Amino acid sequence: MEFYRILSATLLSLLFLTCNASNSKLFREYIGAESDSMKLSDVPINSKVEFHFILAFAIDYTDDNHPSPTNGKFNVFWETNHLGPGQIGSFKGSNSNVKIAVSLGGDSVGSGKAFFAPKSKISWVQNAVSSLTYMINKYHIDGIDIDYEHFKASPEMFAECIGQLITILKKSGTISFASIAPYEGINSHYLALWGKYGHVIDYVNFQFYAYDKLNVSHFISNFKKQASNYEGGQLLASFESGGCGGLKPANGFFEACNELKDQGKLGGIFIWCAEESKNKGFQYEKKSQDLLAA
């Protein structure tokens, strides 16, 4: 009987470890899109998590009064008043658990939509590698996030351009990680990318706040659906500070995260965005990081 009791306890321990193998202490937050007064130091950081600031955005459009596509030549579109090279380098030097990513694309540029619009695969990749390598080195950036939401190219072209870009930047040591930020309505492009280049993508920042209002069970159901779509990926839960879609913190977001964590499925949490959280005192940033660190 003692043998079976020990065996049972051992199996339970192994099951527990297996179930928690996919949990992560990764917290990510977009910053720089909505205010030129935001500082990295405004956001509370828990030393027990891995913290990624994601600069929003770099876009391959001209940075003038009438932005137009540049075929992979990226320009800085985030607010650099407090998010310049000096501020970023200094802040990283004082916070060893902080890394910086830059998000590519986004929803809009100027008064129009930001389209993924390559002239050719070869020319777009060459231009993107060159312009982003310069930007990444200048701004002390560690990784890239892919957040194109409008397309003038096929899913296959998107997959090849972005997949090759990530592969080249990783092989050169320019970046150490890459993420994607899909949502339900644009999954065809991102699933094409994932199908061929998922092995070079580290995190999936799925925009669960792009869904209509969700309750806890619907959120978990959608989370598991996307975990299946992006099988093998590190999938993060998410909410939008100022929006009304998805599952809000006041309506059960952290309950859902705890349930996913108990199941060993919580790959982290990300929030859009720091500017919208500031007037709430960053209370949910604190709570998110506490949940991940526990």
Side-chain angles (χ1 to χ4, degrees):
M1 289 295 293
E2 180 65 10
F3 168 80
Y4 290 107
R5 186 189 67 78
I6 294 172
L7 178 61
S8 177
T10 301
L11 289 173
L12 283 172
S13 296
L14 289 172
L15 180 61
F16 177 83
L17 290 170
T18 302
C19 288
N20 285 276
S22 297
N23 286 331
S24 166
K25 294 183 178 182
L26 176 63
F27 178 79
R28 316 186 87 201
E29 179 142 46
Y30 290 84
I31 190 170
E34 298 183 4
S35 171
D36 64 1
S37 65
M38 279 295 305
K39 301 177 182 178
L40 298 174
S41 58
D42 290 337
V43 184
I45 295 173
N46 187 323
S47 62
K48 295 180 181 178
V49 305
E50 180 177 351
F51 195 112
H52 292 184
F53 280 111
I54 305 176
L55 303 170
F57 292 93
I59 313 174
D60 53 332
Y61 271 64
T62 57
D63 55 353
D64 52 31
N65 292 329
H66 303 284
S68 59
T70 58
N71 190 39
K73 296 178 182 178
F74 282 86
N75 286 302
V76 170
F77 279 85
W78 72 84
E79 297 288 352
T80 58
N81 192 31
H82 296 291
L83 300 172
Q87 293 98 328
I88 291 173
S90 176
F91 192 81
K92 286 177 65 179
S94 302
N95 296 271
S96 60
N97 63 320
V98 170
K99 294 181 180 178
I100 305 292
V102 59
S103 189
L104 310 183
D107 175 61
S108 61
V109 56
S111 59
K113 296 186 182 302
F115 283 93
F116 177 73
K119 291 182 179 179
S120 73
K121 179 181 68 176
I122 293 174
S123 63
W124 189 93
V125 171
Q126 287 177 340
N127 289 336
V129 168
S130 176
S131 60
L132 286 172
T133 297
Y134 173 79
M135 185 186 299
I136 287 165
N137 289 331
K138 178 179 179 179
Y139 285 90
H140 310 284
I141 291 167
D142 303 288
I144 61 172
D145 174 63
I146 309 301
D147 190 21
Y148 281 102
E149 301 183 4
H150 309 285
F151 305 91
K152 290 185 177 179
S154 67
E156 292 73 26
M157 173 68 88
F158 177 70
E160 284 302 321
C161 288
I162 299 299
Q164 290 191 26
L165 170 65
I166 295 171
T167 300
I168 292 169
L169 291 178
K170 279 194 165 186
K171 282 186 176 179
S172 68
T174 305
I175 61 172
S176 58
F177 61 83
S179 59
I180 55 175
Y183 58 88
E184 189 72 61
I186 56 173
N187 253 350
S188 59
H189 280 75
Y190 283 89
L191 287 173
L193 171 61
W194 184 260
K196 188 165 184 181
Y197 289 97
H199 61 284
V200 297
I201 297 168
D202 301 279
Y203 314 116
V204 180
N205 279 17
F206 197 87
Q207 299 182 48
F208 289 102
Y209 45 84
Y211 286 110
D212 291 334
K213 190 175 181 180
L214 299 171
N215 59 30
V216 171
S217 63
H218 287 149
F219 183 91
I220 291 173
S221 175
N222 282 311
F223 188 97
K224 291 181 178 179
K225 174 185 176 182
Q226 301 309 329
S228 176
N229 282 337
Y230 296 95
E231 186 176 2
Q234 184 171 331
L235 179 64
L236 284 75
S238 63
F239 68 89
E240 182 178 11
S241 293
C244 57
L247 182 60
K248 302 291 289 183
N251 298 328
F253 176 79
F254 293 109
E255 178 185 341
C257 285
N258 275 316
E259 186 170 333
L260 291 167
K261 188 176 181 183
D262 288 344
Q263 297 172 13
K265 299 181 184 297
L266 185 61
I269 295 172
F270 83 86
I271 299 176
W272 176 277
C273 59
E275 289 84 351
E276 294 177 8
S277 293
K278 190 172 184 178
N279 64 1
K280 300 179 177 68
F282 299 106
Q283 58 178 312
Y284 297 129
E285 278 77 0
K286 297 172 187 174
K287 191 166 183 178
S288 295
Q289 293 176 75
D290 288 345
L291 185 153
L292 294 169

